[in-house]
Amino acid sequence: MNGDITDICARYQGRGREALLPILWDVQTALGSISPAQVHSISHTLRIPEADIFGVIGFYTLFHDQPTGRRIIRVCTDPSCALADADAVLHEVCARLDIEPGETTADGETTIEHSPCLGLCDVGPAALVSARGQSDRALAHASAASLLDDWTGDYFTPAGDENSVLLDGSLTSAPQRLAEYGDYAALRHAKTQSPDQLIAEVEASGLIGRGGAAFPTGLKWKFTRAAEGAPKYVVCNADESEPGTFKDRVLMEHRPHLLLEGIALAAYAVGTNHALIFIRGEYPKATQILHDAIAEADAAGLLDGLTIEVRRGAGAYICGEETALFEAVEGKRGFPRMKPPYPTTFGLFGKPTAVNNVETLCAAPPIISRGAAWFRSVGTAGSAGPKLVSASGHVARPGVYEIAPGITLRTFLERQCGGVIGKLQTVLMGGAAGTFLLPGEIDVRLTFEDLREADGTFGSGAIMVFNDTVDLRDMLLRLGRFFQHESCGKCFPCQLGTQRQVEILERLDAPLPGDCDRLRDIGMTMTEASICGLGHTAALAVMSALEKFPGLFEGE
């Protein structure tokens, strides 16, 4: 195309700022980067100031405003992939090309980059490969040979057994198609009742948000339905970006129609025909699967006038925060909004919006099909219903598992995960924004309430296992750098706090007097004064390590 994006811009004539992310993706996929001349064309097409467009490009990690190679290779070196020797893979790739991370080869063929977590924590080392004019590819078990020579490394994570409800153990190599899934029986049944009856059933089930916040789902739908303003929206938050968390990816890649039916139930409950799935840009495989599933459901007439759009993010963990997600969809930088107002009254485009996590929406169809009493019968009173957990690190069988909350962590590691590889040093519960458990603490039950009582967190269900060969100082530094990179910079406590936290973590081998107190002060300041959940939790793992492993902070 030689830099001419006339054909791309023509497809977006008449649209506004909300089309900014899609058009930027089209330009970058075609050309590898977005130049000032192309920004000028996009500005005229969408009627957005050029400065705003440059601001958006600079905010999102996956966009480039400088020329790149004809292919971009991004290698994840966050904790789970680091345990799989990702650093060595990145080093070998760079050595073979005679460049450093962030550089492009002299022939303009290849750009190499470090990447934050790619959501392939069970099959690391992971990489994301972009080639001009082609769809991105996420690769598992990456090696220098696979990344430079043949681009092999496709994956399918087996998940589920004969007792699973959200997962399907019969799937071995491909997503569940509509013919296998069925004709959305739960949705048909729900539409024989009123939306209020549907909401009441979900409320009675005790379903709470599976993304970490644990807010009652039925209550959220009720508030959105009752709010004034139209149109209303249902938004599926599929921006799963925290190291160690990959359950939503597996759901989307395995059972896309379960998710679509859950979205349709939410839309019927709140009273809308407008739904959107915001999926992280690092999930190209899941994105294509969802597009195909929506086409299948539409062709079969199952969505009954409901429009479901898939909107691709561009590499910003902060967009997992619901209001930052709205800003991204609206064509802005993903800055979180102050609350109140809350999304149920002032959400996407300023309209009432029900935003739910992938797993939360996938739980809705079985609730309607089997009844609230069934859902309540699984798990505990405070953690009702089947729950997915992502296990990675030093276990024999990493992956996604469906559990009945109430089993102990020890039982889970031994039975589902096949045991710990080596001698257990610690378990990080809840992902990067989680807390550590010592070997003597793993008899805790896997429930929201039990982990809360143990000063731990269940969060989104991420479980990262480290044996005694792991340098926890290195793991903490990787987590600290993740949050430093992902802080949006809107509020000073998080922007400066994540930077200062990393500066101290970088000198753990020779700490300065008072560093422990400094880390506590920084952590408490971020927790108490940050605008959103990223800042509130960016120091949780460090604060937990200060308590559980004080020797780490005393130097050699």
Side-chain angles (χ1 to χ4, degrees), residues 510-532:
L512 298 178
D515 271 354
C516 289
D517 290 336
R518 292 186 187 96
L519 284 172
R520 291 189 183 93
D521 288 344
I522 291 167
M524 289 302 298
T525 301
M526 286 196 289
T527 301
E528 297 295 331
S530 297
I531 288 176
C532 79

Short mmCIF file of all heavy atoms in Angstrom, two decimals, residues 510-532:
data_model
loop_
_atom_site.label_atom_id
_atom_site.label_comp_id
_atom_site.label_asym_id
_atom_site.label_seq_id
_atom_site.Cartn_x
_atom_site.Cartn_y
_atom_site.Cartn_z
N ALA A 510 21.07 -5.51 47.73
CA ALA A 510 21.83 -4.62 48.61
C ALA A 510 20.93 -3.45 49.00
O ALA A 510 21.14 -2.31 48.57
CB ALA A 510 23.08 -4.12 47.90
N PRO A 511 19.92 -3.72 49.81
CA PRO A 511 18.94 -2.68 50.14
C PRO A 511 19.55 -1.57 51.00
O PRO A 511 20.54 -1.78 51.71
CB PRO A 511 17.87 -3.43 50.91
CG PRO A 511 18.58 -4.62 51.48
CD PRO A 511 19.62 -4.99 50.48
N LEU A 512 18.93 -0.41 50.93
CA LEU A 512 19.33 0.70 51.78
C LEU A 512 18.58 0.62 53.10
O LEU A 512 17.48 0.05 53.17
CB LEU A 512 19.00 2.03 51.09
CG LEU A 512 19.72 2.30 49.76
CD1 LEU A 512 19.24 3.63 49.19
CD2 LEU A 512 21.22 2.30 49.94
N PRO A 513 19.13 1.17 54.16
CA PRO A 513 18.41 1.20 55.43
C PRO A 513 17.05 1.89 55.24
O PRO A 513 16.96 2.94 54.61
CB PRO A 513 19.34 2.02 56.34
CG PRO A 513 20.70 1.84 55.75
CD PRO A 513 20.50 1.77 54.27
N GLY A 514 16.02 1.27 55.75
CA GLY A 514 14.69 1.87 55.67
C GLY A 514 13.89 1.47 54.44
O GLY A 514 12.76 1.93 54.27
N ASP A 515 14.46 0.60 53.57
CA ASP A 515 13.74 0.23 52.35
C ASP A 515 12.43 -0.51 52.65
O ASP A 515 11.44 -0.33 51.93
CB ASP A 515 14.63 -0.62 51.44
CG ASP A 515 15.45 0.22 50.48
OD1 ASP A 515 15.23 1.45 50.44
OD2 ASP A 515 16.29 -0.34 49.74
N CYS A 516 12.43 -1.33 53.67
CA CYS A 516 11.18 -2.04 54.01
C CYS A 516 10.09 -1.05 54.38
O CYS A 516 8.94 -1.17 53.94
CB CYS A 516 11.43 -3.02 55.15
SG CYS A 516 12.40 -4.47 54.69
N ASP A 517 10.44 -0.06 55.19
CA ASP A 517 9.46 0.96 55.57
C ASP A 517 9.02 1.76 54.35
O ASP A 517 7.85 2.14 54.23
CB ASP A 517 10.05 1.90 56.63
CG ASP A 517 10.23 1.21 57.97
OD1 ASP A 517 9.52 0.22 58.22
OD2 ASP A 517 11.10 1.67 58.75
N ARG A 518 9.96 2.03 53.45
CA ARG A 518 9.60 2.77 52.23
C ARG A 518 8.59 1.98 51.40
O ARG A 518 7.63 2.54 50.87
CB ARG A 518 10.86 3.08 51.41
CG ARG A 518 11.80 4.06 52.06
CD ARG A 518 12.95 4.44 51.13
NE ARG A 518 13.93 5.26 51.84
CZ ARG A 518 15.03 4.80 52.41
NH1 ARG A 518 15.31 3.49 52.34
NH2 ARG A 518 15.86 5.60 53.05
N LEU A 519 8.83 0.68 51.25
CA LEU A 519 7.91 -0.14 50.47
C LEU A 519 6.53 -0.17 51.11
O LEU A 519 5.50 -0.12 50.41
CB LEU A 519 8.46 -1.56 50.34
CG LEU A 519 9.59 -1.75 49.34
CD1 LEU A 519 10.17 -3.16 49.44
CD2 LEU A 519 9.12 -1.49 47.91
N ARG A 520 6.49 -0.25 52.44
CA ARG A 520 5.18 -0.23 53.12
C ARG A 520 4.47 1.11 52.92
O ARG A 520 3.27 1.15 52.66
CB ARG A 520 5.37 -0.53 54.61
CG ARG A 520 5.80 -1.95 54.92
CD ARG A 520 5.74 -2.24 56.42
NE ARG A 520 6.21 -3.59 56.72
CZ ARG A 520 7.47 -3.89 57.05
NH1 ARG A 520 8.38 -2.92 57.14
NH2 ARG A 520 7.81 -5.14 57.31
N ASP A 521 5.21 2.19 53.04
CA ASP A 521 4.61 3.52 52.85
C ASP A 521 4.08 3.68 51.43
O ASP A 521 2.98 4.19 51.21
CB ASP A 521 5.63 4.62 53.16
CG ASP A 521 5.93 4.75 54.63
OD1 ASP A 521 5.14 4.22 55.44
OD2 ASP A 521 6.95 5.39 54.99
N ILE A 522 4.89 3.25 50.46
CA ILE A 522 4.47 3.34 49.07
C ILE A 522 3.22 2.49 48.84
O ILE A 522 2.25 2.92 48.20
CB ILE A 522 5.61 2.89 48.13
CG1 ILE A 522 6.75 3.90 48.16
CG2 ILE A 522 5.11 2.70 46.70
CD1 ILE A 522 8.03 3.38 47.52
N GLY A 523 3.26 1.27 49.37
CA GLY A 523 2.12 0.37 49.20
C GLY A 523 0.84 0.92 49.80
O GLY A 523 -0.23 0.88 49.18
N MET A 524 0.93 1.44 51.02
CA MET A 524 -0.25 1.97 51.67
C MET A 524 -0.77 3.22 50.94
O MET A 524 -1.97 3.42 50.80
CB MET A 524 0.06 2.32 53.13
CG MET A 524 0.26 1.10 54.02
SD MET A 524 -1.19 0.00 54.02
CE MET A 524 -2.44 1.10 54.71
N THR A 525 0.14 4.05 50.45
CA THR A 525 -0.28 5.25 49.72
C THR A 525 -1.01 4.88 48.44
O THR A 525 -2.07 5.44 48.13
CB THR A 525 0.93 6.13 49.39
OG1 THR A 525 1.58 6.51 50.61
CG2 THR A 525 0.51 7.38 48.64
N MET A 526 -0.45 3.93 47.68
CA MET A 526 -1.13 3.50 46.46
C MET A 526 -2.49 2.88 46.76
O MET A 526 -3.48 3.16 46.09
CB MET A 526 -0.26 2.50 45.69
CG MET A 526 0.93 3.12 45.00
SD MET A 526 1.68 2.03 43.75
CE MET A 526 2.45 0.78 44.79
N THR A 527 -2.53 2.06 47.81
CA THR A 527 -3.78 1.38 48.16
C THR A 527 -4.86 2.36 48.57
O THR A 527 -6.04 2.23 48.18
CB THR A 527 -3.53 0.37 49.29
OG1 THR A 527 -2.56 -0.58 48.87
CG2 THR A 527 -4.81 -0.34 49.68
N GLU A 528 -4.48 3.37 49.33
CA GLU A 528 -5.48 4.28 49.88
C GLU A 528 -5.83 5.45 48.95
O GLU A 528 -6.93 5.98 49.01
CB GLU A 528 -4.97 4.85 51.21
CG GLU A 528 -4.76 3.82 52.30
CD GLU A 528 -6.06 3.17 52.74
OE1 GLU A 528 -7.12 3.82 52.65
OE2 GLU A 528 -6.03 1.98 53.16
N ALA A 529 -4.90 5.86 48.09
CA ALA A 529 -5.09 7.12 47.37
C ALA A 529 -5.22 6.99 45.87
O ALA A 529 -5.52 7.99 45.20
CB ALA A 529 -3.92 8.06 47.69
N SER A 530 -5.03 5.82 45.30
CA SER A 530 -5.13 5.68 43.84
C SER A 530 -6.59 5.75 43.40
O SER A 530 -7.51 5.46 44.17
CB SER A 530 -4.51 4.36 43.38
OG SER A 530 -3.12 4.33 43.65
N ILE A 531 -6.77 6.10 42.14
CA ILE A 531 -8.13 6.25 41.60
C ILE A 531 -8.81 4.90 41.41
O ILE A 531 -10.00 4.75 41.69
CB ILE A 531 -8.09 7.02 40.27
CG1 ILE A 531 -7.76 8.50 40.53
CG2 ILE A 531 -9.41 6.91 39.51
CD1 ILE A 531 -7.62 9.31 39.26
N CYS A 532 -8.06 3.91 40.91
CA CYS A 532 -8.73 2.66 40.50
C CYS A 532 -8.04 1.44 41.09
O CYS A 532 -7.06 1.54 41.82
CB CYS A 532 -8.76 2.57 38.97
SG CYS A 532 -7.20 2.04 38.23
#
